[in-house]
Structure formats: C-alpha cells, structure tokens
Amino acid sequence: MSAAPSRGQVLNLYKQFIKNANQFNNYNFKEYFLRRSRESFRANSKIQDPVELAKVYRDAQFDLAVLKRQSIISQLYTFDKLVVEPVAEK
Amino acid sequence: MFRQLLRTATPLAHRQAAIATKRTSIVPQSLMRYYSASGLTKDDVTTRIVDVIKAYDKSLAAKPISLESTYNKDLGLDSLDTVELIVAIEEEFEIEIPDKVADELKNVGETVDYIVSNPDAN
C-alpha cells in the first residue's frame, strides 16, 4: 500500500497528463483527453481520505501510462485538419 | 566540359583553403562566442504571456492583466488551472519550467522575470 501523494506530486501528475494530452495529433482525441483529465482531477480534488487518495493516485498513474502510449501512437499517423481547428497552428 | 569544371574547381579550392587559414589566424579561439543572446525584451515577453493567458481562458480576456496580477486571487485560477497555464507558457517559449520554480510563480511579473532570465526561451 503506497502512502498518500503530496500536493506537489498530484500537481506534477496533472502537468504530465496535460502535456501528454497536448501531443495528440488528432484533434478529437486531444480535446477528449484534455477534457477528461480536467474533469477527473477536479472531481477528485475534494478527496481527503488518505487511503482513497492513494488508490486514485495509483489509478491515475496507470492511466497516464496508457495516455503516453496512445499519444505516441497518435503521432505516428497524420490526420486531416478539422474545420474547427486553428489553421496557423505553430 | 569536364576539363572546364576542373579548371574552375582548383582555384576555388585554393581560395577556400586561403580563407580558412586566414580565419583561424584572425580570430583566436578564446574570443569566440559559443552562445547567442536570447534577445527577449521584457515588454515582448509580457505581451506574449498576456496573450497566452487570454487565449487560455476566454473569461479572462476582458479583465485587465498587469504584472502584479496574481494567478490565484486576481485571475481566479486554482492550482490545477495554474499548472495548465504554466504548460501553455512553456509551450509558447519552448522551455521546461521545473516544478520547484513553477510552484513559486504566483503572479504575471514573476513569470515574466523568469522567462527573461531563462537563456533557452525563445
């Protein structure tokens, strides 16, 4: 059983979620994972119980691994730009 | 044709060799600069950061943003929003802000100062 994560650890995990989600080539996936990360972190931000917190943190680390793999796979393919995407993307 | 090429090629090689020896003799190794100045002015950085903040949250676009604006109180961002904003700023300037430093950045002015002092920012 791992100890409850600190505030810094959680913020670092969130940062990694956002960074990896930003790397998706596909607009829909990118927006979905950004939205999903924001919502889940915000929903879990009220958790006080250390045991529950540790569990959520461990699950999130597992999800981050999935996210990293999928964002790399996404970068192997090219996707047509959607009309909603900004044209001059740097 | 081939002969002509040869004819032009040899003097060129000679000339290049001459230039090369000349250059090494003129510029001593120790005086050469191996870095380039980042060339970011404080005003430039400030406008770019303000643009990033306004692009990040549409509700902030109408608010006045000054160097003293704190993320938490003045802009109404919580810790998660701030992390996201820092990521957006990192991408804008193509740098990595370490977590320890990012934690200390409480307002726009501190962020501007950090970016200006960072030689990798561009």
Side-chain angles (χ1 to χ4, degrees):
Chain A
M1 199 68 219
S2 53
S6 71
R7 179 189 147 89
Q9 280 175 306
V10 173
L11 288 180
N12 179 268
L13 189 71
Y14 183 63
K15 190 175 185 177
Q16 291 191 58
F17 262 89
I18 297 295
K19 274 192 168 178
N20 281 290
N22 266 334
Q23 281 170 7
F24 272 88
N25 264 349
N26 186 309
Y27 179 85
N28 281 326
F29 284 146
K30 177 175 158 178
E31 292 299 311
Y32 169 74
F33 284 114
L34 282 174
R35 200 165 60 233
R36 187 64 218 272
S37 313
R38 285 184 193 127
E39 276 171 8
S40 61
F41 271 82
R42 209 144 293 235
N44 291 335
S45 65
K46 297 284 182 293
I47 296 175
Q48 296 291 335
D49 179 27
V51 178
E52 166 124 36
L53 204 58
K55 182 187 173 297
V56 171
Y57 185 70
R58 213 172 45 247
D59 289 349
Q61 278 178 320
F62 188 78
D63 287 344
L64 178 65
V66 176
L67 185 63
K68 278 185 176 170
R69 280 198 292 276
Q70 291 305 318
S71 75
I72 287 172
I73 292 172
S74 165
Q75 287 164 43
L76 299 177
Y77 299 90
T78 51
F79 300 94
D80 290 338
K81 290 261 183 242
L82 303 183
V83 281
V84 288
E85 287 181 75
V87 184
E89 192 75 69
K90 303 206 306 176
Chain B
M1 187 190 127
F2 184 63
R3 206 177 295 157
Q4 198 179 3
L5 256 180
L6 263 182
R7 218 178 291 146
T8 51
T10 28
L12 199 79
H14 270 296
R15 217 177 302 148
Q16 267 172 347
I19 290 171
T21 48
K22 215 175 175 185
R23 199 177 288 150
T24 44
S25 63
I26 287 174
V27 183
Q29 281 288 310
S30 57
L31 285 183
M32 278 173 79
R33 264 172 55 165
Y34 290 101
Y35 60 94
S36 64
S38 85
L40 285 176
T41 63
K42 203 170 167 174
D43 292 337
D44 191 25
V45 172
T46 311
T47 41
R48 277 168 72 185
I49 286 185
V50 170
D51 283 348
V52 170
I53 294 173
K54 290 190 171 172
Y56 167 68
D57 191 341
K58 297 282 176 278
S59 66
L60 296 173
K63 279 191 187 174
I65 297 172
S66 71
L67 287 179
E68 282 80 40
S69 303
T70 54
Y71 295 131
N72 191 349
K73 289 201 190 97
D74 298 333
L75 302 180
L77 303 173
D78 64 12
S79 55
L80 293 178
D81 291 329
T82 312
V83 166
E84 229 173 291
L85 189 60
I86 297 288
V87 171
I89 292 172
E90 282 182 356
E91 281 172 5
E92 166 73 20
F93 293 95
E94 294 166 25
I95 50 168
E96 291 249 355
I97 303 176
D99 286 349
K100 265 187 197 160
V101 180
D103 242 18
E104 301 297 311
L105 300 174
K106 300 285 179 222
N107 66 30
V108 180
E110 285 170 12
T111 316
V112 171
D113 288 341
Y114 175 75
I115 302 280
V116 171
S117 69
N118 189 325
D120 290 336
N122 58 50

